[in-house]
Amino acid sequence: MKIIVTGGVGFIGSNFVHYIYKQRPDWQITVLDALTYAGNRDNLKGLDENRVKLVVGNTCDAELVDKLVADHDAVVHFAAESHNDNSLENPRPFLDSNIVGTYTILEAVRKHGKRLHHISTDEVYGDLELDDPHKFTEHTPYNPSSPYSATKAGSDLLVRAWVRSFGVQATISNCSNNYGPYQHVEKLIPRQITEIIEGRRPKLYGTGENVRDWIHTEDHSSAILTILEKGKIGDTYLVGANGEKDNKTVIELILKLMGKNPTDYDHVNDRPGHDMRYAIDSTKLRTELGWAPKFTDFEAGLKDTIDWYKANHDWWQPQKQATEAKYAKTGH
Ligand code: NAD
Ligand code: TDX
């Protein structure tokens, strides 16, 4: 099996590369990544270069994508602009990477008859009320709120159209919020851990009642491999681990695990259009494909993540100052 992983030096893509490197020792992996601010080639450190090749390039580059796809069996497509706050400041790169990038991959897999798995997010479904008894399912209508989630929704709809109109052999997964090592310091959990390490207070948007459904990135990787190998062509699978927590609880837990007073955080400006709650019903993936998450103890996973950031200062420090300078401008 020769596989292309787009966005394979980002947070989740690189976790998936390490995961299949271990789980499928006979696979050849080509990572296609533009090395944006979110990509770090060090994320592939330690992997045998005879098995894992990094091609630095953009998913919007049709000639490059066509050439690579012709020479591989499957594409797992992670590459995207992924941060909501950035999409509110400057939406354009989201249209390029998320929409045009996905279109370019689709045209190449269509031409060469190759398998595609498209990685998406639960945010395409919009948000739920705090007391809504229902969670998102594969049948929930699309209702994205931000430029990020709107472009992810658009990319999913392109994949569905290419399956129906052109018979492209694709599956889609929509996952909830990931956490774990190697996540960029712009995101909620790494931001607060590194703020505390640097002697500052965590920053909670608005009241902090907003709920996210946390899953360890390693569980996301195992779900993707399951869908790639056993998923039904044309189908969508929701990935989640029943990890609903409000942001206030997450920040208080980080403070507690780092030996601080749990109330030592600041309320900062809320995110415009801030989604209230996400929650995933992953019954289809569990019952039809037999997947189950392994890292279901959130406190233990968070503790390991904190330890990783404490031990890997050199990995996150170069990004920290620029990230906080951006947040200072928006009052976040
Ligand atoms: P990330 O921002 O950490 O990494 C994105 C990677 O894609 C980077 O390495 C970047 O250099 C690369 N990239 C961006 N645009 C590119 C382009 N045009 N061409 C080539 N490479 C490009 O993102 P992440 O958190 O690892 O998310 C990966 C995927 O998973 C995204 O599609 C995202 O929408 C989806 N997702 C993320 C989460 C989450 O909680 N982070 C949850 C569900 C789904
Ligand atoms: O400093 C902060 N304080 C805060 O309260 C930051 C950075 C965030 N927040 C809040 C906003 C959200 O309610 O925490 C929650 C999580 O924020 P993010 O880490 O920015 O994630 P979110 O917007 O929920 O989106 C994430 O999950 C779905 C990923 O970034 C997306 O790529 C994925 O699709």
Side-chain angles (χ1 to χ4, degrees):
M1 180 82 158
K2 284 179 80 180
I3 182 172
I4 297 172
V5 179
T6 73
V9 302
F11 165 48
I12 308 172
S14 64
N15 185 283
F16 181 71
V17 170
H18 282 270
Y19 185 77
I20 54 173
Y21 185 85
K22 270 186 271 158
Q23 301 291 328
R24 297 290 178 269
D26 53 337
W27 287 17
Q28 290 288 326
I29 305 161
T30 299
V31 169
L32 172 62
D33 198 294
L35 291 180
T36 70
Y37 79 97
N40 186 339
R41 61 168 79 230
D42 285 352
N43 294 1
L44 301 181
K45 243 189 200 162
L47 302 181
D48 178 355
E49 286 173 21
N50 292 316
R51 281 192 56 210
V52 182
K53 197 171 101 192
L54 170 62
V55 175
V56 178
N58 201 300
T59 49
C60 299
D61 180 343
E63 205 179 312
L64 172 66
V65 167
D66 183 85
K67 201 170 90 201
L68 289 175
V69 169
D71 187 39
H72 289 77
D73 303 305
V75 182
V76 180
H77 179 40
F78 292 88
E81 288 292 333
S82 70
H83 193 40
N84 273 298
D85 290 324
N86 291 343
S87 82
L88 294 161
E89 292 307 305
N90 180 20
R92 179 61 203 239
F94 290 75
L95 290 152
D96 293 333
S97 288
N98 303 2
I99 302 279
V100 180
T102 302
Y103 158 76
T104 309
I105 299 282
L106 279 166
E107 283 294 82
V109 295
R110 164 158 94 109
K111 179 171 163 196
H112 298 289
K114 302 295 168 77
R115 173 85 170 87
L116 169 67
H117 180 65
H118 174 66
I119 308 297
S120 193
T121 170
D122 58 359
E123 298 194 15
V124 299
Y125 299 113
D127 60 354
L128 298 163
E129 299 292 337
L130 291 177
D131 60 357
D132 192 328
H134 303 104
K135 298 183 175 195
F136 299 137
T137 73
E138 286 76 8
H139 304 292
T140 305
Y142 274 38
N143 187 26
S145 316
S146 73
Y148 163 68
S149 51
T151 55
K152 290 300 290 187
S155 70
D156 294 8
L157 297 181
L158 291 178
V159 175
R160 289 182 182 192
W162 261 242
V163 168
R164 177 152 172 177
S165 302
F166 304 123
V168 160
Q169 303 284 296
T171 42
I172 301 176
S173 54
N174 297 80
C175 187
S176 60
N177 281 61
N178 285 220
Y179 77 98
Y182 295 95
Q183 188 169 28
H184 195 280
V185 290
E186 68 194 355
K187 304 289 185 344
L188 172 72
I189 289 178
R191 184 183 186 203
Q192 314 313 330
I193 296 170
T194 53
E195 284 296 87
I196 296 168
I197 293 174
E198 294 205 327
R200 292 186 296 270
R201 289 158 66 93
K203 277 102 186 149
L204 184 64
Y205 291 179
T207 62
E209 290 169 285
N210 310 66
V211 170
R212 297 295 181 264
D213 188 352
W214 294 99
I215 181 172
H216 195 282
T217 183
E218 190 97 3
D219 283 331
H220 190 184
S221 290
S222 70
I224 294 164
L225 183 57
T226 303
I227 300 164
L228 181 66
E229 293 185 326
K230 299 200 240 164
K232 185 166 163 255
I233 296 303
D235 269 20
T236 289
Y237 297 88
L238 265 54
V239 185
N242 298 326
E244 281 188 73
K245 304 245 169 324
D246 66 47
N247 295 337
K248 187 168 169 290
T249 302
V250 171
I251 285 190
E252 287 173 356
L253 185 56
I254 293 171
L255 280 159
K256 189 188 103 182
L257 291 172
M258 295 182 76
K260 306 286 177 196
N261 183 337
T263 59
D264 273 355
Y265 61 86
D266 294 325
H267 288 271
V268 296
N269 283 352
D270 206 353
R271 174 182 284 172
H274 197 173
D275 280 340
M276 185 49 82
R277 171 175 165 238
Y278 307 137
I280 287 271
D281 179 347
S282 58
T283 305
K284 175 177 171 180
L285 177 60
R286 291 169 192 250
T287 54
E288 288 186 14
L289 305 188
W291 172 83
K294 289 202 178 115
F295 298 84
T296 46
D297 181 341
F298 181 69
E299 186 163 333
L302 195 54
K303 195 176 170 309
D304 287 348
T305 305
I306 291 169
D307 290 344
W308 188 86
Y309 281 90
K310 281 184 180 164
N312 288 280
H313 193 266
D314 289 353
W315 182 88
W316 55 264
Q317 220 288 325
Q319 301 278 346
K320 184 66 182 165
Q321 208 184 344
T323 304
E324 289 307 318
K326 265 202 243 172
Y327 279 136
K329 279 196 199 148
T330 52
H332 286 137

Tab-separated table of all heavy atoms in Angstrom, residues 180-226:
chain	number	residue	atom	x	y	z
A	180	GLY	N	-3.860	16.388	22.815
A	180	GLY	CA	-2.709	15.497	22.931
A	180	GLY	C	-1.441	16.261	22.598
A	180	GLY	O	-1.490	17.463	22.317
A	181	PRO	N	-0.272	15.581	22.609
A	181	PRO	CA	0.986	16.231	22.273
A	181	PRO	C	1.012	16.749	20.833
A	181	PRO	O	0.230	16.281	20.007
A	181	PRO	CB	2.024	15.104	22.428
A	181	PRO	CG	1.385	14.085	23.276
A	181	PRO	CD	-0.090	14.185	23.029
A	182	TYR	N	1.894	17.686	20.555
A	182	TYR	CA	2.134	18.244	19.214
A	182	TYR	C	0.994	19.134	18.704
A	182	TYR	O	0.921	19.408	17.512
A	182	TYR	CB	2.383	17.138	18.165
A	182	TYR	CG	3.638	16.328	18.382
A	182	TYR	CD1	3.599	15.110	19.067
A	182	TYR	CD2	4.875	16.781	17.906
A	182	TYR	CE1	4.748	14.363	19.274
A	182	TYR	CE2	6.026	16.034	18.103
A	182	TYR	CZ	5.954	14.821	18.783
A	182	TYR	OH	7.095	14.082	18.973
A	183	GLN	N	0.077	19.579	19.572
A	183	GLN	CA	-0.966	20.498	19.095
A	183	GLN	C	-0.440	21.933	19.171
A	183	GLN	O	0.215	22.319	20.149
A	183	GLN	CB	-2.246	20.348	19.933
A	183	GLN	CG	-3.412	21.143	19.349
A	183	GLN	CD	-4.757	20.821	19.969
A	183	GLN	OE1	-4.826	20.428	21.136
A	183	GLN	NE2	-5.832	20.958	19.207
A	184	HIS	N	-0.760	22.721	18.168
A	184	HIS	CA	-0.256	24.103	18.097
A	184	HIS	C	-0.723	24.916	19.309
A	184	HIS	O	-1.874	24.763	19.753
A	184	HIS	CB	-0.750	24.759	16.800
A	184	HIS	CG	-0.021	26.018	16.462
A	184	HIS	ND1	-0.317	27.221	17.057
A	184	HIS	CD2	1.003	26.257	15.618
A	184	HIS	CE1	0.491	28.157	16.576
A	184	HIS	NE2	1.304	27.594	15.693
A	185	VAL	N	0.146	25.818	19.765
A	185	VAL	CA	-0.152	26.591	20.986
A	185	VAL	C	-1.263	27.631	20.813
A	185	VAL	O	-1.618	28.314	21.764
A	185	VAL	CB	1.105	27.308	21.552
A	185	VAL	CG1	2.082	26.323	22.135
A	185	VAL	CG2	1.773	28.188	20.496
A	186	GLU	N	-1.831	27.727	19.611
A	186	GLU	CA	-2.993	28.618	19.432
A	186	GLU	C	-4.271	27.986	19.991
A	186	GLU	O	-5.231	28.686	20.276
A	186	GLU	CB	-3.191	28.936	17.940
A	186	GLU	CG	-3.635	27.721	17.124
A	186	GLU	CD	-3.526	27.891	15.622
A	186	GLU	OE1	-3.189	28.979	15.141
A	186	GLU	OE2	-3.769	26.885	14.917
A	187	LYS	N	-4.319	26.653	20.127
A	187	LYS	CA	-5.539	25.946	20.504
A	187	LYS	C	-5.733	25.956	22.026
A	187	LYS	O	-4.767	26.112	22.785
A	187	LYS	CB	-5.515	24.509	19.973
A	187	LYS	CG	-5.313	24.396	18.458
A	187	LYS	CD	-6.512	24.856	17.689
A	187	LYS	CE	-6.542	24.706	16.184
A	187	LYS	NZ	-5.391	24.450	15.398
A	188	LEU	N	-6.981	25.765	22.481
A	188	LEU	CA	-7.330	25.950	23.905
A	188	LEU	C	-6.353	25.273	24.880
A	188	LEU	O	-5.769	25.944	25.739
A	188	LEU	CB	-8.749	25.427	24.180
A	188	LEU	CG	-9.133	25.402	25.672
A	188	LEU	CD1	-9.351	26.810	26.209
A	188	LEU	CD2	-10.378	24.553	25.915
A	189	ILE	N	-6.199	23.958	24.776
A	189	ILE	CA	-5.451	23.231	25.819
A	189	ILE	C	-3.962	23.581	25.815
A	189	ILE	O	-3.427	23.998	26.848
A	189	ILE	CB	-5.754	21.715	25.739
A	189	ILE	CG1	-7.201	21.491	26.215
A	189	ILE	CG2	-4.744	20.890	26.543
A	189	ILE	CD1	-7.702	20.061	26.155
A	190	PRO	N	-3.253	23.485	24.665
A	190	PRO	CA	-1.830	23.853	24.693
A	190	PRO	C	-1.598	25.316	25.055
A	190	PRO	O	-0.591	25.650	25.676
A	190	PRO	CB	-1.342	23.575	23.273
A	190	PRO	CG	-2.443	22.937	22.556
A	190	PRO	CD	-3.684	22.960	23.361
A	191	ARG	N	-2.540	26.192	24.660
A	191	ARG	CA	-2.352	27.611	24.997
A	191	ARG	C	-2.299	27.789	26.510
A	191	ARG	O	-1.416	28.464	27.042
A	191	ARG	CB	-3.475	28.473	24.413
A	191	ARG	CG	-3.215	29.954	24.676
A	191	ARG	CD	-4.307	30.869	24.188
A	191	ARG	NE	-3.894	32.260	24.370
A	191	ARG	CZ	-4.726	33.275	24.462
A	191	ARG	NH1	-6.025	33.085	24.352
A	191	ARG	NH2	-4.273	34.502	24.637
A	192	GLN	N	-3.252	27.155	27.211
A	192	GLN	CA	-3.310	27.377	28.667
A	192	GLN	C	-2.116	26.722	29.366
A	192	GLN	O	-1.528	27.305	30.283
A	192	GLN	CB	-4.622	26.832	29.243
A	192	GLN	CG	-5.875	27.187	28.464
A	192	GLN	CD	-5.983	28.649	28.064
A	192	GLN	OE1	-5.467	29.534	28.754
A	192	GLN	NE2	-6.659	28.930	26.952
A	193	ILE	N	-1.737	25.521	28.924
A	193	ILE	CA	-0.585	24.836	29.547
A	193	ILE	C	0.666	25.698	29.406
A	193	ILE	O	1.402	25.925	30.369
A	193	ILE	CB	-0.351	23.444	28.897
A	193	ILE	CG1	-1.534	22.512	29.155
A	193	ILE	CG2	0.958	22.824	29.402
A	193	ILE	CD1	-1.481	21.206	28.354
A	194	THR	N	0.888	26.247	28.189
A	194	THR	CA	2.120	27.004	27.964
A	194	THR	C	2.048	28.397	28.612
A	194	THR	O	3.078	28.941	29.014
A	194	THR	CB	2.451	27.099	26.458
A	194	THR	OG1	1.304	27.619	25.746
A	194	THR	CG2	2.812	25.730	25.894
A	195	GLU	N	0.854	28.963	28.742
A	195	GLU	CA	0.725	30.217	29.503
A	195	GLU	C	1.177	29.984	30.948
A	195	GLU	O	1.923	30.780	31.516
A	195	GLU	CB	-0.723	30.730	29.491
A	195	GLU	CG	-1.160	31.388	28.194
A	195	GLU	CD	-0.395	32.657	27.878
A	195	GLU	OE1	0.682	32.549	27.262
A	195	GLU	OE2	-0.860	33.755	28.256
A	196	ILE	N	0.715	28.883	31.537
A	196	ILE	CA	1.068	28.607	32.943
A	196	ILE	C	2.575	28.341	33.055
A	196	ILE	O	3.232	28.862	33.958
A	196	ILE	CB	0.234	27.421	33.491
A	196	ILE	CG1	-1.254	27.792	33.517
A	196	ILE	CG2	0.710	27.022	34.896
A	196	ILE	CD1	-2.201	26.620	33.766
A	197	ILE	N	3.134	27.568	32.112
A	197	ILE	CA	4.584	27.297	32.157
A	197	ILE	C	5.353	28.627	32.106
A	197	ILE	O	6.352	28.807	32.788
A	197	ILE	CB	5.026	26.372	30.993
A	197	ILE	CG1	4.437	24.971	31.163
A	197	ILE	CG2	6.559	26.296	30.900
A	197	ILE	CD1	4.695	24.012	29.990
A	198	GLU	N	4.855	29.586	31.301
A	198	GLU	CA	5.562	30.869	31.161
A	198	GLU	C	5.190	31.875	32.254
A	198	GLU	O	5.576	33.043	32.190
A	198	GLU	CB	5.306	31.467	29.768
A	198	GLU	CG	5.934	30.605	28.674
A	198	GLU	CD	6.256	31.356	27.397
A	198	GLU	OE1	5.519	32.300	27.038
A	198	GLU	OE2	7.265	30.994	26.761
A	199	GLY	N	4.408	31.424	33.248
A	199	GLY	CA	4.133	32.273	34.418
A	199	GLY	C	2.964	33.223	34.238
A	199	GLY	O	2.837	34.204	34.982
A	200	ARG	N	2.114	32.976	33.225
A	200	ARG	CA	0.935	33.828	33.041
A	200	ARG	C	-0.338	33.051	33.361
A	200	ARG	O	-0.300	31.849	33.585
A	200	ARG	CB	0.897	34.378	31.608
A	200	ARG	CG	2.022	35.372	31.331
A	200	ARG	CD	1.880	36.000	29.956
A	200	ARG	NE	2.000	35.021	28.892
A	200	ARG	CZ	3.148	34.689	28.305
A	200	ARG	NH1	4.277	35.275	28.667
A	200	ARG	NH2	3.168	33.778	27.357
A	201	ARG	N	-1.485	33.772	33.360
A	201	ARG	CA	-2.758	33.143	33.723
A	201	ARG	C	-3.501	32.663	32.466
A	201	ARG	O	-3.460	33.331	31.431
A	201	ARG	CB	-3.637	34.162	34.466
A	201	ARG	CG	-3.136	34.489	35.862
A	201	ARG	CD	-3.676	35.827	36.340
A	201	ARG	NE	-5.106	35.856	36.547
A	201	ARG	CZ	-5.724	35.613	37.708
A	201	ARG	NH1	-5.010	35.314	38.783
A	201	ARG	NH2	-7.034	35.688	37.808
A	202	PRO	N	-4.187	31.517	32.532
A	202	PRO	CA	-5.012	31.042	31.415
A	202	PRO	C	-6.095	32.048	31.043
A	202	PRO	O	-6.491	32.872	31.868
A	202	PRO	CB	-5.642	29.762	31.961
A	202	PRO	CG	-4.734	29.303	33.027
A	202	PRO	CD	-4.170	30.558	33.642
A	203	LYS	N	-6.565	31.951	29.786
A	203	LYS	CA	-7.556	32.899	29.260
A	203	LYS	C	-8.800	32.153	28.792
A	203	LYS	O	-8.751	31.390	27.825
A	203	LYS	CB	-6.968	33.666	28.062
A	203	LYS	CG	-6.126	34.854	28.473
A	203	LYS	CD	-4.678	34.589	28.381
A	203	LYS	CE	-3.849	35.726	28.937
A	203	LYS	NZ	-2.600	35.257	29.509
A	204	LEU	N	-9.911	32.455	29.455
A	204	LEU	CA	-11.184	31.801	29.129
A	204	LEU	C	-12.046	32.767	28.319
A	204	LEU	O	-12.284	33.899	28.754
A	204	LEU	CB	-11.878	31.434	30.445
A	204	LEU	CG	-13.175	30.649	30.355
A	204	LEU	CD1	-12.949	29.270	29.741
A	204	LEU	CD2	-13.778	30.494	31.761
A	205	TYR	N	-12.549	32.315	27.151
A	205	TYR	CA	-13.408	33.169	26.338
A	205	TYR	C	-14.799	33.252	26.975
A	205	TYR	O	-15.431	32.214	27.247
A	205	TYR	CB	-13.592	32.600	24.928
A	205	TYR	CG	-12.369	32.615	24.032
A	205	TYR	CD1	-12.445	32.093	22.740
A	205	TYR	CD2	-11.160	33.145	24.443
A	205	TYR	CE1	-11.348	32.101	21.893
A	205	TYR	CE2	-10.049	33.155	23.603
A	205	TYR	CZ	-10.152	32.628	22.328
A	205	TYR	OH	-9.074	32.619	21.490
A	206	GLY	N	-15.300	34.486	27.130
A	206	GLY	CA	-16.671	34.689	27.609
A	206	GLY	C	-16.893	34.050	28.972
A	206	GLY	O	-16.038	34.114	29.854
A	207	THR	N	-18.049	33.401	29.128
A	207	THR	CA	-18.381	32.801	30.436
A	207	THR	C	-17.729	31.436	30.619
A	207	THR	O	-17.651	30.927	31.735
A	207	THR	CB	-19.906	32.581	30.551
A	207	THR	OG1	-20.293	31.656	29.513
A	207	THR	CG2	-20.676	33.882	30.397
A	208	GLY	N	-17.315	30.810	29.511
A	208	GLY	CA	-16.685	29.493	29.618
A	208	GLY	C	-17.666	28.338	29.743
A	208	GLY	O	-17.281	27.204	30.018
A	209	GLU	N	-18.961	28.631	29.478
A	209	GLU	CA	-19.969	27.545	29.527
A	209	GLU	C	-19.902	26.650	28.290
A	209	GLU	O	-20.513	25.587	28.261
A	209	GLU	CB	-21.377	28.152	29.487
A	209	GLU	CG	-21.841	28.903	30.680
A	209	GLU	CD	-23.125	29.627	30.283
A	209	GLU	OE1	-23.034	30.648	29.558
A	209	GLU	OE2	-24.202	29.169	30.682
A	210	ASN	N	-19.221	27.132	27.230
A	210	ASN	CA	-19.199	26.411	25.957
A	210	ASN	C	-18.612	25.016	26.144
A	210	ASN	O	-17.584	24.846	26.791
A	210	ASN	CB	-18.362	27.183	24.937
A	210	ASN	CG	-18.768	28.635	24.850
A	210	ASN	OD1	-18.588	29.375	25.815
A	210	ASN	ND2	-19.339	29.049	23.755
A	211	VAL	N	-19.286	24.045	25.525
A	211	VAL	CA	-18.900	22.638	25.705
A	211	VAL	C	-18.230	22.104	24.439
A	211	VAL	O	-18.731	22.319	23.326
A	211	VAL	CB	-20.138	21.790	26.040
A	211	VAL	CG1	-19.827	20.299	25.991
A	211	VAL	CG2	-20.686	22.184	27.411
A	212	ARG	N	-17.106	21.401	24.626
A	212	ARG	CA	-16.451	20.694	23.540
A	212	ARG	C	-16.378	19.219	23.924
A	212	ARG	O	-16.307	18.879	25.103
A	212	ARG	CB	-15.032	21.259	23.281
A	212	ARG	CG	-15.029	22.737	22.813
A	212	ARG	CD	-15.699	22.868	21.453
A	212	ARG	NE	-15.739	24.224	20.893
A	212	ARG	CZ	-16.782	25.047	21.009
A	212	ARG	NH1	-17.847	24.704	21.712
A	212	ARG	NH2	-16.762	26.232	20.408
A	213	ASP	N	-16.360	18.335	22.902
A	213	ASP	CA	-16.435	16.884	23.126
A	213	ASP	C	-15.033	16.317	22.845
A	213	ASP	O	-14.692	16.044	21.700
A	213	ASP	CB	-17.492	16.318	22.157
A	213	ASP	CG	-17.810	14.873	22.422
A	213	ASP	OD1	-17.132	14.239	23.247
A	213	ASP	OD2	-18.749	14.359	21.770
A	214	TRP	N	-14.209	16.164	23.884
A	214	TRP	CA	-12.775	15.900	23.702
A	214	TRP	C	-12.476	14.443	23.379
A	214	TRP	O	-13.053	13.533	23.982
A	214	TRP	CB	-11.998	16.333	24.958
A	214	TRP	CG	-12.065	17.821	25.134
A	214	TRP	CD1	-12.894	18.515	25.952
A	214	TRP	CD2	-11.314	18.809	24.409
A	214	TRP	NE1	-12.712	19.875	25.805
A	214	TRP	CE2	-11.748	20.076	24.861
A	214	TRP	CE3	-10.326	18.756	23.416
A	214	TRP	CZ2	-11.222	21.276	24.370
A	214	TRP	CZ3	-9.805	19.948	22.930
A	214	TRP	CH2	-10.255	21.183	23.408
A	215	ILE	N	-11.539	14.258	22.439
A	215	ILE	CA	-11.049	12.913	22.096
A	215	ILE	C	-9.526	12.992	21.966
A	215	ILE	O	-8.993	13.993	21.464
A	215	ILE	CB	-11.690	12.422	20.762
A	215	ILE	CG1	-11.211	11.005	20.407
A	215	ILE	CG2	-11.416	13.363	19.614
A	215	ILE	CD1	-11.957	10.382	19.206
A	216	HIS	N	-8.843	11.949	22.444
A	216	HIS	CA	-7.380	11.921	22.305
A	216	HIS	C	-7.041	11.681	20.838
A	216	HIS	O	-7.669	10.859	20.176
A	216	HIS	CB	-6.791	10.813	23.183
A	216	HIS	CG	-5.315	10.955	23.364
A	216	HIS	ND1	-4.413	10.592	22.394
A	216	HIS	CD2	-4.583	11.451	24.393
A	216	HIS	CE1	-3.179	10.853	22.827
A	216	HIS	NE2	-3.262	11.384	24.037
A	217	THR	N	-6.017	12.396	20.341
A	217	THR	CA	-5.695	12.317	18.916
A	217	THR	C	-5.351	10.895	18.465
A	217	THR	O	-5.628	10.498	17.328
A	217	THR	CB	-4.584	13.337	18.569
A	217	THR	OG1	-4.340	13.291	17.193
A	217	THR	CG2	-3.298	13.066	19.289
A	218	GLU	N	-4.781	10.080	19.355
A	218	GLU	CA	-4.463	8.679	19.006
A	218	GLU	C	-5.755	7.892	18.709
A	218	GLU	O	-5.770	7.028	17.831
A	218	GLU	CB	-3.711	8.044	20.182
A	218	GLU	CG	-3.120	6.691	19.891
A	218	GLU	CD	-1.637	6.736	19.516
A	218	GLU	OE1	-1.021	7.831	19.523
A	218	GLU	OE2	-1.102	5.668	19.200
A	219	ASP	N	-6.838	8.197	19.419
A	219	ASP	CA	-8.122	7.543	19.132
A	219	ASP	C	-8.683	8.009	17.784
A	219	ASP	O	-9.315	7.237	17.063
A	219	ASP	CB	-9.131	7.811	20.254
A	219	ASP	CG	-8.859	6.948	21.488
A	219	ASP	OD1	-8.322	5.832	21.330
A	219	ASP	OD2	-9.173	7.388	22.613
A	220	HIS	N	-8.443	9.268	17.439
A	220	HIS	CA	-8.860	9.752	16.116
A	220	HIS	C	-8.101	8.972	15.034
A	220	HIS	O	-8.689	8.495	14.059
A	220	HIS	CB	-8.595	11.260	16.010
A	220	HIS	CG	-9.183	11.918	14.793
A	220	HIS	ND1	-8.980	13.245	14.503
A	220	HIS	CD2	-9.943	11.440	13.775
A	220	HIS	CE1	-9.603	13.549	13.366
A	220	HIS	NE2	-10.189	12.472	12.905
A	221	SER	N	-6.799	8.786	15.246
A	221	SER	CA	-5.989	8.049	14.250
A	221	SER	C	-6.491	6.627	14.070
A	221	SER	O	-6.586	6.134	12.945
A	221	SER	CB	-4.515	8.026	14.677
A	221	SER	OG	-3.961	9.315	14.568
A	222	SER	N	-6.821	5.949	15.168
A	222	SER	CA	-7.285	4.555	15.025
A	222	SER	C	-8.631	4.517	14.302
A	222	SER	O	-8.900	3.593	13.521
A	222	SER	CB	-7.361	3.854	16.387
A	222	SER	OG	-8.411	4.374	17.173
A	223	ALA	N	-9.455	5.539	14.516
A	223	ALA	CA	-10.746	5.593	13.814
A	223	ALA	C	-10.538	5.775	12.310
A	223	ALA	O	-11.198	5.127	11.490
A	223	ALA	CB	-11.594	6.746	14.371
A	224	ILE	N	-9.584	6.636	11.944
A	224	ILE	CA	-9.343	6.905	10.514
A	224	ILE	C	-8.844	5.638	9.810
A	224	ILE	O	-9.317	5.295	8.713
A	224	ILE	CB	-8.328	8.066	10.347
A	224	ILE	CG1	-8.927	9.378	10.871
A	224	ILE	CG2	-7.916	8.216	8.881
A	224	ILE	CD1	-7.895	10.474	11.107
A	225	LEU	N	-7.926	4.919	10.451
A	225	LEU	CA	-7.423	3.688	9.820
A	225	LEU	C	-8.561	2.676	9.657
A	225	LEU	O	-8.675	2.010	8.626
A	225	LEU	CB	-6.269	3.092	10.649
A	225	LEU	CG	-5.620	1.839	10.054
A	225	LEU	CD1	-5.075	2.088	8.642
A	225	LEU	CD2	-4.503	1.307	10.959
A	226	THR	N	-9.419	2.583	10.669
A	226	THR	CA	-10.570	1.671	10.593
A	226	THR	C	-11.464	2.028	9.404
A	226	THR	O	-11.876	1.156	8.629
A	226	THR	CB	-11.396	1.756	11.902
A	226	THR	OG1	-10.547	1.445	12.991
A	226	THR	CG2	-12.581	0.810	11.884
